[in-house]
Amino acid sequence: MGTESAFESLARARALEKEGKRVLHFEIGEPDFPTAPHINDAAKKALDAGYTHYVPAPGIPEVREAVCEYVERTRGFRPTVDQVIISPGAKPILFFTLLAVCDKNEQVIYQDPGFPIYESMIRYIGGKPVPVRLKQKNGFRMTPEDIMKKVKERTKLIILNTPHNPTGAVSSEEDVKAISDLCHDKGIWLLADEVYHKFLYEGKHFSPSVHDRCMDHTILMDGLSKTYAMTGWRLGFGVMPPELQEKLTTLTINSVSCTSAFSQMAAREALLGPQDSVTAMVDEFRLRRDLIVGGLNQVKGFRCENPPGAFYVFPNIKKLHLPSKDVEMHLLRDLGIACLAGTAFGAGGEGYLRFSYASPRDKISEMLEILKKEYGSK
Ligand code: PLP
């Protein structure tokens, strides 16, 4: 098993803080906003109303209904309740899907750089990880042509993460349709990891789920961690064909039994209630993105794309002629800036850093000034 080095990096930064050092945080991928008060109130009410016991393994029926309504509003089709499963975070949807569909040595295609848990989980369940190298000149998008070069007889699953962690890239409508068609034609599962779908600063989000309504090959994976600033609540969901949903329900019964009952009632409120806190958060993230991209492009040795989605930037630092990990360590130990080496997301991340801009604008400005002082201004 691998790991998510954001958590290790955060621990290193916290250890330095304990020694009295000041650290500016750009390493961890969670919104720095509180959960909205109406969502907290729904959880408190649920506690008092007795949502403190086991609930059905695939989720409380009215919460699964809320997911159907949410998917209709955000993706444009309404799944049936038997396609929906609620999970403690989006991560178990990934883990359970791999366990349910992938046999030993079967291949799983995914983006590199990409969310490190994909490769870790594929290896753990005995599958064969098949990374697709993303190219900066393509705006870090995984194209259907890239995928076709990797598809073999034993390809079982493709993971498509859009908007993308760590680059912020967003797949085009044509690419998403072509990837969906390819999966249909070749009988390959497609896991659409869309946990950042609300973090979009220009253009549109295209989900492959609309093409088969998650009835043929698509598994839609989403969660409340990022969209509703609820990382600690552990709330996610999957939408998939009912036969697969049954298998994930069995895996749920065998592992976690169910997702926390009062958390689920808070999720219902989040999905169906007022959405203004989401809009306000995304507006603020857009301002931060513009600030950090503009600033990084003024630092000597840094070149940064303007990512249309998620809340990460992935500057190219190849001109520094140093391994990304060395730069990460130097920034943390000597300059008090916590960020991640691109290699935390796969070998394709060498020559890049990832900054999460889930940090206030004054902290971003301060960090940019430190970098300009260290490396010089263009
Ligand atoms: N997918 C991607 C691409 C992520 O970046 C993350 C979290 O960082 C997750 C899934 C997991 O999110 P959750 O907190 O819902 O388990």
Side-chain angles (χ1 to χ4, degrees):
M1 254 186 187
T3 185
E4 209 176 325
S5 53
F7 287 105
E8 289 167 6
S9 201
L10 180 67
R12 257 197 307 272
R14 294 266 185 256
L16 285 174
E17 282 174 326
K18 243 184 162 175
E19 287 168 19
K21 204 164 175 234
R22 184 152 181 269
V23 178
L24 298 169
H25 291 275
F26 298 94
E27 74 279 44
I28 199 89
E30 70 173 338
D32 55 323
F33 291 82
T35 303
H38 68 100
I39 302 174
N40 291 340
D41 288 343
K44 290 174 203 164
K45 257 196 216 147
L47 279 171
D48 289 338
Y51 282 91
T52 51
H53 295 93
Y54 288 133
V55 288
I60 299 171
E62 57 264 44
V63 182
R64 291 162 76 203
E65 280 286 357
V67 168
C68 293
E69 197 167 324
Y70 180 74
V71 170
E72 184 172 23
R73 204 171 72 229
T74 55
R75 308 316 200 282
F77 75 99
R78 191 180 181 101
T80 54
V81 172
D82 61 353
Q83 287 182 269
V84 174
I85 183 160
I86 313 285
S87 53
K91 265 181 183 167
I93 301 294
L94 167 69
F95 192 18
F96 294 167
T97 297
L98 283 165
L99 283 169
V101 308
C102 202
D103 279 332
K104 230 180 169 44
N105 293 322
E106 285 184 326
Q107 301 181 336
V108 183
I109 294 176
Y110 60 97
Q111 291 136 301
D112 174 14
F115 186 44
I117 299 304
Y118 302 148
E119 184 187 339
S120 171
M121 282 290 139
I122 297 163
R123 282 193 195 287
Y124 182 68
I125 58 111
K128 187 171 176 336
V130 180
V132 166
R133 277 286 172 104
L134 305 181
K135 299 178 200 90
Q136 187 172 0
K137 68 174 187 327
N138 287 346
F140 296 112
R141 286 196 299 268
M142 176 166 72
T143 65
E145 296 74 34
D146 291 333
I147 295 175
M148 266 319 283
K149 282 186 210 143
K150 303 275 181 175
V151 168
K152 300 235 169 67
E153 218 168 276
R154 303 213 63 175
T155 304
K156 201 58 188 261
L157 174 73
I158 296 171
I159 304 173
L160 174 66
N161 174 215
T162 177
H164 181 239
N165 175 13
T167 68
V170 173
S171 296
S172 70
E173 186 171 20
E174 301 74 43
D175 282 358
V176 166
K177 174 77 169 70
I179 295 168
S180 173
D181 287 349
L182 185 157
C183 287
H184 172 76
D185 295 346
K186 298 204 172 285
I188 300 171
W189 288 103
L190 177 59
L191 179 72
D193 180 347
E194 301 183 2
V195 300
Y196 296 102
H197 78 108
K198 280 281 179 194
F199 296 86
L200 203 66
Y201 311 111
E202 57 227 29
K204 266 185 84 174
H205 166 68
F206 299 101
S207 173
S209 62
V210 297
H211 298 300
D212 69 342
R213 305 169 72 96
C214 296
M215 283 303 284
D216 180 61
H217 53 273
T218 309
I219 300 130
L220 171 64
M221 164 172 146
D222 197 354
L224 287 92
S225 284
K226 319 284 176 178
T227 307
Y228 296 101
M230 293 176 79
T231 46
W233 295 73
R234 307 314 298 136
L235 282 165
F237 59 86
V239 184
M240 62 204 74
E243 315 80 70
L244 185 60
Q245 190 268 12
E246 266 179 41
K247 291 182 182 167
L248 268 75
T249 298
T250 304
L251 284 160
T252 301
I253 293 167
N254 276 272
S255 53
V256 293
S257 298
C258 62
T259 302
S260 155
F262 64 91
S263 279
Q264 287 196 51
M265 294 312 282
R268 185 175 181 276
E269 174 62 25
L271 298 174
L272 302 183
Q275 301 293 308
D276 19 321
S277 57
V278 181
T279 313
M281 181 171 69
V282 174
D283 286 347
E284 173 59 25
F285 272 119
R286 184 181 288 105
L287 296 173
R288 293 176 184 182
R289 178 200 63 159
D290 294 345
L291 177 66
I292 198 166
V293 170
L296 286 173
N297 278 325
Q298 286 168 8
V299 180
K300 265 195 193 149
F302 284 61
R303 187 159 59 87
C304 190
E305 302 288 327
N306 195 24
F311 43 80
Y312 307 112
V313 284
F314 204 61
N316 180 324
I317 52 153
K318 290 179 183 169
K319 287 216 167 124
L320 298 182
H321 303 294
L322 288 167
S324 300
K325 189 71 192 172
D326 290 3
V327 179
E328 176 198 307
M329 288 318 227
H330 171 59
L331 293 189
L332 178 64
R333 290 194 182 132
D334 306 322
L335 306 180
I337 297 170
C339 66
L340 296 179
T343 44
F345 303 90
E350 185 53 273
Y352 296 87
L353 293 175
R354 190 197 78 168
F355 290 82
S356 158
Y357 48 89
S359 208
R361 272 179 276 159
D362 58 338
K363 296 275 176 6
I364 296 176
S365 298
E366 193 181 342
M367 178 272 288
L368 291 167
E369 285 314 309
I370 297 172
L371 289 184
K372 280 181 205 161
K373 225 171 169 185
E374 176 73 4
Y375 296 104
S377 284
K378 279 182 194 161

